Structures are given as structure tokens and as C-alpha cells.
Amino acid sequence: TGASDDLFDWDDGWRGRAQFVVGQQHDDVADFGIAAGGSSEAPPFAPDPRIFYVTLVGGNGAAGKIGARFRGASRGYLRNFVFLGFTAGFVDIGGAATAANLTATPPTFSLANSVFGQGSAPVAWPTGGDDASDGDLIEQDVLTQPARSNQVVDPMLERPFDLLDPSWMPLSGAPLGASVAEAPSEREGD
């Protein structure tokens, strides 16, 4: 937590795996919760990770912070995320290739079974940023489709914004787990 740049960052060709990740931004130093993608719209090897059980907490006040920016022909299978308190929005899809991967049937880039919580952030979904190059994709329209099982709701975490003594434990009645995805497994060809 308290990274001076992005909390989680990957680039060309990363096909890694991650589970049980927590990141908390501090208002004055952080950039994105996740900065992901290839170096171009057609990288030699598109990133294609499998990531489960991630909680990313923004500064809940610092201007211009986005929970995740996926671009550069990003692919991947992302499940059970919590995005909370990012002042410039939850997720920004940048570039036509990533937008096409997200909207393909079946998608080759998928973010599902996740919770998006606004906290005291002034906006929930980004405007501007890479939006001009993503074919005018409306992130909210795509990521809140019922088949994706994402929720826009307060995740009800104990002390997510406390910098000295944070707790990301869900409170009683929290919506986490209401749409949990299956546990990750290696797929043929991975």
C-alpha cells in the first residue's frame, strides 16, 4: 500500500497469476490502482493474466485517480475485485483493441463478479482519459451488464481509508460474496 505510482502494473505479454491482493492509495503520491496493457494497440504479445480476490482502495479525496486503466490490447480473466474510493472513476478501458476484447463473444478480456464502491468520490465512472480512442465504449454500460455479476454498491469494509490502521474486512451484511466467481484454475493452453 501507499505506492508512489500504480498499485499494480503489468505490460506486454504478462500472463501471470495473482490472488489475494490488497492495495491502498495515499492521496498525495498514487496514480492508478491498476495500470495495465501492452505498449501499443497491437503488441507482439498481449497481456493475458488470471487474477482473483483483489481489493483496491483509492484516496477517497485526491483528484484524478482511476481504479484501473486497461489498454494496449489487454486480455485477461479478472474476478472478485473491489474498487473503492477512486475519485476519477472505477475502470477506464483505453483503446479499440481492449474495448473489442471486452465486448467480444465470448470476451477475451473479462472483469466480473466484482464490486464497485464510490465512497466519497465525485464520479463513479471515468470521463475523458483514453475514452476517445476506445470506440466510445461506455464502461458503465458494459461492466454493469447482468451477465457479468458486477455490483455498484458500498462494499462495507471496516476501515478502508485509514492510513495508519486500515482494515479491509467486510462488515456484517456486506455485499461481498453475493456474486463470487469460481476459484481460479489453469485452463487448457495456459
Side-chain angles (χ1 to χ4, degrees):
T1 64
S4 62
D5 189 17
D6 309 310
L7 293 171
F8 198 20
D9 194 341
W10 64 82
D11 211 328
D12 288 343
W14 188 63
R15 298 177 56 88
R17 308 292 187 262
Q19 290 190 81
F20 309 112
V21 175
V22 174
Q24 178 189 42
Q25 286 187 336
H26 296 187
D27 286 346
D28 58 343
V29 293
D31 199 2
F32 297 109
I34 295 174
S39 58
S40 70
E41 278 291 282
F45 301 99
D48 193 5
R50 306 287 180 269
I51 306 172
F52 284 72
Y53 309 110
V54 174
T55 299
L56 298 174
V57 178
N60 206 35
K65 310 303 181 182
I66 294 176
R69 176 167 288 157
F70 300 102
R71 59 185 172 181
S74 282
R75 296 179 180 192
Y77 192 81
L78 287 61
R79 297 290 185 272
N80 307 324
F81 276 62
V82 173
F83 292 96
L84 175 62
F86 289 94
T87 57
F90 305 129
V91 175
D92 185 32
I93 302 300
T98 301
N101 291 343
L102 181 67
T103 58
T105 305
T108 55
F109 175 67
S110 177
L111 172 61
N113 305 91
S114 296
V115 172
F116 303 104
Q118 193 166 341
S120 64
V123 299
W125 298 94
T127 57
D130 283 343
D131 286 345
S133 63
D134 64 15
D136 296 321
L137 177 87
I138 307 297
E139 288 85 346
Q140 179 177 3
D141 291 351
V142 175
L143 293 172
T144 60
Q145 293 170 342
R148 296 183 192 271
S149 298
N150 291 323
Q151 304 173 73
V152 179
V153 62
D154 181 357
M156 298 174 60
L157 304 179
E158 193 171 3
R159 292 183 311 280
F161 302 110
D162 188 321
L163 299 181
L164 300 177
D165 186 26
S167 173
W168 303 287
M169 293 295 298
L171 298 170
S172 177
L176 305 177
S179 63
V180 171
E182 65 188 59
S185 63
E186 294 300 315
R187 298 183 313 181
E188 180 104 10
D190 278 354

